[in-house]
Amino acid sequence: NAGVTQTPKFQVLKTGQSMTLQCAQDMNHNSMYWYRQDPGMGLRLIYYSASEGTTDKGEVPNGYNVSRLNKREFSLRLESAAPSQTSVYFCASSASPGPDYEQYFGPGTRLTVT
Amino acid sequence: AQSVAQPEDQVNVAEGNPLTVKCTYSVSGNPYLFWYVQYPNRGLQFLLKYITGDNLVKGSYGFEAEFNKSQTSFHLKKPSALVSDSALYFCAVRDRNDYKLSFGAGTTVTVRA
């Protein structure tokens, strides 16, 4: 039982390049989330998927797109990377979108945009 | 709007001493409160949560937290800290009607031997 896995672990992009961050969970969870973590700012929600087939914007969606490929997988795409998107990205999942369910986090992807 | 404040960027304690990490929150309805811990170069790990009921919540690794509605606080505590408790701790809150989990900026805990 691997929990939440993310690939890649590290990535360096040039401004304007695109890439997709992959996330998968094996806990049969319904809901999945993408966050970014910046120093002194905690985690901020980029997009979430309350259930398979649905996606919604979070707090900081600009410059990102997501795909809920199936119940297990939720990808985050940067179409044209900018230096402001340099951050650590975390994927998370929860059994339900309800507020009383804790979220389980992946190990993160450290992205640098030059 | 919901928000969380962690007033201390850093907390330093000696091993064996009590550890407290402070958190205050703001939410329009009844709060759903969480504590997470992050070890270096790792993802966040769930420690405990308050949903309803007893104001004292017990969680993983000997941690507990006390919900205080009048002070809108949810402080994390451990009676006797270990060096291995050194990490970054996040408090988070959700409102019943919002999918967003709002995190505080985090508190770095250092436990010295």
Side-chain angles (χ1 to χ4, degrees):
Chain A
N1 190 337
V4 180
T5 57
Q6 293 182 236
T7 55
K9 286 185 166 48
F10 301 93
Q11 185 70 50
V12 178
L13 291 178
K14 295 187 187 304
T15 297
Q17 288 184 318
S18 63
M19 78 162 296
T20 300
L21 281 64
Q22 306 287 353
C23 173
Q25 52 90 10
D26 63 1
M27 295 175 284
N28 200 34
H29 282 174
N30 288 302
S31 304
M32 298 185 74
Y33 312 82
W34 276 105
Y35 292 89
R36 59 178 288 172
Q37 182 181 28
D38 301 293
M41 300 185 72
L43 277 75
R44 292 179 293 169
L45 183 65
I46 304 171
Y47 270 93
Y48 65 94
S49 172
S51 60
E52 186 179 357
T54 69
T55 60
D56 284 286
K57 295 178 180 179
E59 190 179 358
V60 288
N62 291 345
Y64 306 95
N65 283 301
V66 291
S67 295
R68 183 76 183 265
L69 304 170
N70 47 55
K71 191 172 186 179
R72 289 187 64 248
E73 298 173 287
F74 189 39
S75 63
L76 178 72
R77 182 160 178 84
L78 286 70
E79 291 290 353
S80 179
S84 61
Q85 294 178 303
T86 293
S87 188
V88 181
Y89 291 85
F90 289 101
C91 178
S93 70
S94 62
S96 163
D100 50 338
Y101 286 83
E102 62 270 23
Q103 296 178 15
Y104 294 84
F105 287 79
T109 295
R110 188 173 295 275
L111 175 66
T112 302
V113 183
T114 61
Chain B
Q2 57 198 42
S3 64
V4 171
Q6 293 181 241
E8 299 161 317
D9 291 335
Q10 292 202 5
V11 170
N12 299 305
V13 297
E15 189 172 36
N17 281 1
L19 169 63
T20 298
V21 186
K22 295 179 181 178
C23 171
T24 58
Y25 66 89
S26 174
V27 69
S28 57
N30 289 327
Y32 296 79
L33 294 154
F34 302 82
W35 275 103
Y36 289 84
V37 59
Q38 184 180 29
Y39 298 101
N41 301 313
R42 302 283 296 275
L44 278 68
Q45 294 180 28
F46 168 73
L47 278 179
L48 52 78
K49 65 182 177 183
Y50 172 82
I51 304 301
T52 187
D54 195 347
N55 289 343
L56 185 63
V57 179
K58 293 188 185 298
S60 306
Y61 313 122
F63 284 94
E64 57 189 30
E66 186 167 11
F67 171 64
N68 187 317
K69 188 172 183 178
S70 63
Q71 297 185 2
T72 61
S73 66
F74 189 55
H75 302 330
L76 181 70
K77 300 180 181 182
K78 187 170 184 180
S80 179
L82 301 172
V83 172
S84 57
D85 293 328
S86 298
L88 181 57
Y89 290 80
F90 290 100
C91 182
V93 67
R94 272 186 76 169
D95 181 88
R96 174 183 290 276
N97 298 316
D98 195 335
Y99 286 117
K100 185 176 73 175
L101 185 61
S102 294
F103 286 84
T107 298
T108 299
V109 171
T110 302
V111 182
R112 60 186 185 277

